[in-house]
Amino acid sequence: NGGKLVAVRDHGGAPGTVIEARSLFFNVPARRKFLRTENTEFAHVEQQLRLHAIANPQVAFTLTHNGELVLHLPATRDMLERIRGLVGDELASRLLKVEETTVHGVTVSGYIGGPGMSRSNRQMQTTYLNGRPIESASISYGLREGYHTALMKGQYPVTFLFIQMDAQAFDVNVHPAKKEVRFHDGNSVRDAISRSVSHTLENAAKLPTGHAPARAVPAIPAAARVPLVPDSRQEQFAMPVAASSAPLRNIAPSPASTSQSQPAVSHRVADVLERIAAGRSTPAIQPQAPEAATPQETQEEEETQAPAKAQPAEPPEYRIIGVLQKLYVLMEGKEGLVLMDQHAAHERVNFEKFRRAIESGGVPCQRLLLPVTLQTTPRDADLLKQNLPSLNRLGIEIEPFGPNIFKVETLPAFLKTDDPAAWLDQVIEELSSLSTKSSSLRLSEDAIATIACRASVKSNDVLSIPEMQALLKDLFACEMPYCCPHGRPTLVQISTSELERKFGRRAPG
């Protein structure tokens, strides 16, 4: 009573017993004076109820405000049904299930948003540790690393993650409200979340949709397949290719171009990276004509580069209708209308091709006219020494030059910067946020994404039908085909049912 303990005794409460708390601030008027407006305080109450409702789907929750029913959540055994009752059917249908996995003693499960699904704040980023809603920098880093190129900068993912681990491995006495926790081994938690999220995104089979959820398109036997564009309509879309458009893979050159004089081997960064990814050495001194790779040769090269990976699935059967604004390829699929951003799609294809170049044989480097010396802290010095092999693969030739001093001789050839020292400081900062040494390959992916963007077809480049088909095939051969390296969607689907509702052929709902 008023903060004083009056008595402690047993009481038999049958199911349905109501516990009421009122006049919370009768003896602390000063605290009541500093409360926010009624709407703000009610929003805090509603947020807490939502957090606990997701963690306990087997419990029914009812929220009323001023006599009006705000939320009514019946008990359920299905976590997705509870989430659907809170966020709506449209958002819940676009979530991807994270299968329960255990890494380093950390078990991760739940639901996350697919590629291209994000928010401008962390309001929809919810994580639970042993059933308690918490916040942690290690979890945020793990989510960022797991999404990586599937998330735009400045955006935050939609997550409903549940983490289970030994209670002795973390400390909850960090924040008075027990919201923040401190892990004894934050790197293990970060690595477990990163692996679970990246594995779920790589196996995603859902198209980003404009309105309605998309379903995976079933595989069609080879004998029953029809061409993407009927022969009778090929002439209708036989558009000339602009001179500025970048050629796509698997497109055979015309006889006229083959009979022309043989050009010299290109030394552009994109071409050098492509030769490295194909397992070729440095270009020969004598100029020779680049041979167009046949589909069989390309498949053999991909098998040589990644023998452990399964063969990519056949792309869904889409019929190309046309091109909108010289950027969006309109296609008809079994589920409705599909739009492909030709720039974002080609950007994803080039990005993964360049990234394989880094993982296979390193990247070309350029020697600095004057070596750059870095004065670091003892902690950063240890970090650099641990990652010297990875940095060398990235084209950064760095070696100790004294106590906590390093000398940099070379930088990646595709790097364009006027201040190498500032860029190297950013590299050290990113190194400190990585959880494993293997993740240091991602240090150069921002630069690779820039190169891929410049080497891709643009919005005003006109592609022929075979080039569109080749781009679509290459896109579905990527590890993450539904978003570009900057997190923007490459494909968007508008279902037939949504189109019927728009035209009044089907009642909403």
Side-chain angles (χ1 to χ4, degrees):
N1 185 12
K4 296 180 180 180
L5 188 62
V6 178
V8 178
R9 61 179 181 270
D10 295 335
H11 177 72
T17 299
V18 177
I19 300 175
E20 182 177 353
R22 56 184 177 181
S23 300
L24 299 179
F25 306 101
F26 79 95
N27 63 338
V28 281
R31 182 167 295 180
R32 182 178 182 179
K33 179 181 178 181
F34 284 96
L35 289 177
R36 304 293 182 182
T37 62
E38 180 180 350
N39 291 336
T40 302
E41 297 298 334
F42 176 74
H44 294 329
V45 173
E46 183 180 5
Q47 177 64 14
Q48 289 300 315
L49 185 138
R50 287 175 174 270
L51 291 175
H52 292 284
I54 294 174
N56 302 277
Q58 74 281 2
V59 179
F61 287 85
T62 301
L63 176 64
T64 58
H65 180 55
N66 293 335
E68 295 183 0
L69 181 65
V70 178
L71 277 178
H72 176 65
L73 304 172
T76 177
R77 294 182 178 272
D78 188 358
M79 176 60 66
L80 187 59
E81 286 298 323
R82 173 53 57 87
I83 296 175
R84 181 177 286 108
L86 289 169
V87 302
D89 182 71
E90 180 180 344
L91 189 148
S93 300
R94 298 171 59 190
L95 296 176
L96 306 176
K97 184 177 182 180
V98 179
E99 298 295 340
E100 184 173 306
T101 56
T102 302
V103 180
H104 307 307
V106 182
T107 303
V108 182
S109 62
Y111 293 88
I112 61 173
M117 184 177 176
S118 61
R119 294 293 184 269
S120 59
N121 52 49
R122 289 192 176 94
Q123 189 173 359
M124 296 292 290
Q125 181 179 314
T126 55
T127 53
Y128 298 84
L129 177 60
N130 294 354
R132 179 201 301 268
I134 56 101
E135 297 176 359
S136 173
S138 297
I139 294 176
S140 298
Y141 285 137
L143 289 173
R144 172 64 64 177
E145 188 173 337
Y147 272 90
H148 197 47
T149 58
L151 193 66
M152 294 179 61
K153 290 186 177 180
Q155 296 290 306
Y156 301 94
V158 177
T159 63
F160 302 92
L161 280 185
F162 296 86
I163 305 170
Q164 296 289 334
M165 60 185 304
D166 186 6
Q168 303 296 325
F170 58 89
D171 182 13
V172 298
N173 296 314
V174 178
H175 191 275
K178 312 296 184 185
K179 291 176 57 179
E180 299 179 10
V181 298
R182 184 172 298 163
F183 297 101
H184 296 314
D185 187 3
N187 287 341
S188 297
V189 177
R190 190 188 316 176
D191 190 42
I193 294 175
S194 175
R195 290 188 186 185
S196 300
V197 171
S198 61
H199 179 72
T200 302
L201 293 175
E202 289 172 2
N203 295 333
K206 289 187 177 181
L207 276 173
T209 56
H211 302 280
R215 297 188 297 273
V217 180
I220 302 175
R225 285 176 186 157
V226 296
L228 297 179
V229 180
D231 295 337
S232 60
R233 303 191 63 181
Q234 287 284 353
E235 296 181 358
Q236 180 180 353
F237 297 107
M239 297 175 289
V241 181
S244 60
S245 61
L248 297 176
R249 186 158 59 89
N250 294 340
I251 302 299
S254 61
S257 62
T258 307
S259 61
Q260 292 177 355
S261 61
Q262 297 180 350
V265 175
S266 173
H267 291 270
R268 294 188 304 112
V269 173
D271 295 335
V272 174
L273 286 173
E274 184 175 0
R275 286 194 293 270
I276 294 175
R280 302 189 181 99
S281 59
T282 55
I285 298 177
Q286 295 83 2
Q288 57 184 11
E291 298 180 356
T294 62
Q296 292 80 6
E297 293 174 349
T298 305
Q299 182 177 1
E300 292 176 359
E301 289 180 359
E302 292 176 353
E303 292 176 354
T304 305
Q305 296 165 17
K309 292 185 179 180
Q311 292 294 330
E314 288 290 332
E317 295 294 333
Y318 292 138
R319 183 172 66 88
I320 298 177
I321 302 174
V323 181
L324 176 66
Q325 300 292 329
K326 297 183 180 179
L327 174 61
Y328 303 107
V329 180
L330 305 180
M331 301 177 292
E332 179 185 357
K334 289 190 174 183
E335 297 295 325
L337 179 65
V338 179
L339 292 85
M340 178 177 69
D341 186 331
Q342 66 180 29
H343 173 70
H346 199 200
E347 192 175 358
R348 165 55 67 176
V349 172
N350 286 335
F351 173 79
E352 295 201 5
K353 184 192 304 181
F354 297 162
R355 186 175 60 183
R356 287 195 297 268
I358 294 180
E359 296 174 351
S360 58
V363 299
C365 59
Q366 56 182 351
R367 187 163 296 277
L368 300 176
L369 185 62
L370 295 175
V372 176
T373 57
L374 292 177
Q375 182 80 32
T376 64
T377 62
R379 181 177 176 225
D380 290 343
D382 293 337
L383 198 63
L384 287 174
K385 291 177 181 178
Q386 294 174 5
N387 291 274
L388 283 179
S390 298
L391 293 173
N392 289 333
R393 289 173 62 87
L394 298 177
I396 305 174
E397 185 179 331
I398 184 172
E399 60 182 9
F401 196 60
N404 301 329
I405 301 176
F406 291 84
K407 181 176 65 173
V408 181
E409 298 279 356
T410 65
L411 290 177
F414 55 78
L415 178 66
K416 305 299 180 184
T417 178
D418 296 331
D419 192 352
W423 184 81
L424 290 168
D425 289 337
Q426 296 177 1
V427 170
I428 297 175
E429 182 178 353
E430 291 189 36
L431 267 177
S432 62
S433 65
L434 294 175
S435 58
T436 59
K437 294 181 181 179
S438 60
S439 298
S440 60
L441 288 172
R442 294 182 175 180
L443 283 175
S444 64
E445 290 194 353
D446 287 339
I448 294 295
T450 302
I451 294 297
C453 180
R454 294 175 181 174
S456 302
V457 294
K458 302 300 187 292
S459 59
N460 289 323
D461 293 339
V462 181
L463 302 181
S464 63
I465 291 294
E467 287 179 323
M468 295 179 193
Q469 294 172 344
L471 176 58
L472 186 65
K473 181 179 179 180
D474 289 347
L475 179 63
F476 276 93
C478 294
E479 295 179 0
M480 197 175 297
Y482 297 120
C483 64
C484 78
H486 302 101
R488 294 187 295 269
T490 58
L491 296 163
V492 173
Q493 178 171 282
I494 303 177
S495 67
T496 304
S497 59
E498 178 64 22
L499 291 174
E500 290 176 348
R501 283 195 295 268
K502 292 291 185 182
F503 285 96
R505 293 180 175 270
R506 175 179 296 184

